[in-house]
Amino acid sequence: MMSSDQGDPSDRPGAAFGGRGRQYLALLVCPVDGAPLSPGQHEAVCAADPAHRYPVEAGILRLADPARRAALDDLSRQYEAGASARGWQPPDEEAFKRLPQTGLKGYPELHWMQYATATALLWRFLEAIRAERGALPVGPAGEAAVIGAESGWLAYALDVAGYTTIALDVYTGERYGLGVYPIARYVRAQADPVHPPLARGAFDLVLFQDGLARSREAGDEMAVLAQAIEALRPGGHVVVMDAFPASIQVVETLQRQLEQAGLRLMPRP
């Protein structure tokens, strides 16, 4: 048993960075200088410059460049206000556990249909990846990152599938965004999607959940894609579940970048 004066378990570095024997922090880097991170007291600390410190607040690692932190917090507040204004009801823990089978009050039905379809399609890709590797359909699957995780829905799917998962997003509020699922077993981190703080060559899978759409607003979608490719191990996969424009020019550019990185397009299962 744990006494009440020990604080919120989700804020302790062991719970946030080393759950189930997995070394989550080794998959992330300092967003300022790209150096490795080490666990501190309720925070992650840059190995190259200890002045770069990133707190764990309400179970979320605030892994954003301090120069960008205020702007990202403002985006998160705008997201919360917009969701509330549309009449969306934030999920409680029990409601979230039933997703994606059960929609939440106030959300358009199409919203849940899209998420359910995306989750099913993701599982088919994961099955195809395991088959390609000759792996068993269950068990450890490697390391994964979701850029633009919002409520962490697809990160949860990857976690259940056996991946050591990092969920990165701007949106961190308690009612919407990464804050709505406080018992998540994967690491949730506030991060700038234009500069995802992922360790090079550390991941088997990087998934964009509207992450490229947000990067497109800054005109950096291809640069972000290149960073995701750099984060992959040999034989890794990039999954784009995004409002990515299906123009011939974009598809050709994407395919060219993949080929230059030694990757190939995987047909839809």
Side-chain angles (χ1 to χ4, degrees):
M1 295 292 291
M2 182 177 299
S3 63
S4 59
D5 60 356
Q6 288 183 287
D8 182 354
S10 64
D11 282 341
R12 293 197 305 280
F17 305 138
R20 295 180 293 173
R22 298 176 175 180
Q23 300 302 316
Y24 294 94
L25 208 56
L27 304 176
L28 297 166
V29 297
C30 174
V32 176
D33 53 27
L37 297 170
S38 59
Q41 184 68 23
H42 307 298
E43 63 186 355
V45 182
C46 176
D49 186 348
H52 301 156
R53 312 178 83 89
Y54 305 96
V56 178
E57 300 171 351
I60 298 174
L61 173 62
R62 305 292 182 167
L63 193 58
D65 186 327
R68 286 277 292 152
R69 174 72 183 275
L72 297 183
D73 283 343
D74 186 55
L75 287 174
S76 186
R77 286 190 292 269
Q78 291 178 30
Y79 176 75
E80 293 255 319
S84 180
R86 287 191 289 271
W88 293 4
Q89 299 297 313
D92 59 27
E93 183 175 311
E94 291 304 315
F96 199 93
K97 288 177 180 177
R98 294 195 300 269
L99 299 181
Q101 292 83 4
T102 304
L104 300 177
K105 294 180 179 179
Y107 286 74
E109 183 177 355
L110 179 60
H111 178 90
W112 300 117
M113 291 175 61
Q114 289 174 333
Y115 266 114
T117 300
T119 303
L121 181 58
L122 175 60
W123 277 97
R124 292 173 65 186
F125 271 115
L126 299 182
E127 289 174 350
I129 289 171
R130 283 187 182 269
E132 184 181 68
R133 294 176 176 173
L136 295 173
V138 295
E143 282 69 41
V146 181
I147 300 175
E150 295 186 350
S151 62
W153 186 320
L154 295 182
Y156 177 79
L158 289 174
D159 178 83
V160 171
Y163 284 91
T164 298
T165 306
I166 305 289
L168 303 177
D169 204 353
V170 173
Y171 307 140
T172 59
E174 294 181 6
R175 289 170 54 82
Y176 308 93
L178 290 178
V180 305
Y181 193 32
I183 65 169
R185 298 181 298 180
Y186 49 84
V187 165
R188 298 169 291 153
Q190 180 190 45
D192 188 341
V194 179
H195 303 288
L198 304 177
R200 294 173 64 95
F203 293 87
D204 297 285
L205 187 150
V206 175
L207 188 154
F208 287 96
Q209 181 179 334
D210 293 329
L212 285 180
R214 297 175 200 171
S215 302
R216 188 180 310 124
E217 297 173 1
D220 291 331
E221 59 191 16
M222 290 304 173
V224 173
L225 182 61
Q227 293 176 68
I229 291 172
E230 290 178 355
L232 291 177
R233 294 190 177 108
H237 294 78
V238 174
V239 177
V240 178
M241 307 190 81
D242 202 335
F244 203 65
S247 68
I248 296 299
Q249 181 181 3
V250 169
V251 172
E252 289 179 346
T253 302
L254 173 60
Q255 185 162 0
R256 185 166 58 252
Q257 284 202 314
L258 291 174
E259 291 172 349
Q260 290 173 352
L263 301 175
R264 59 181 173 79
L265 286 174
M266 186 175 183
R268 177 170 175 166

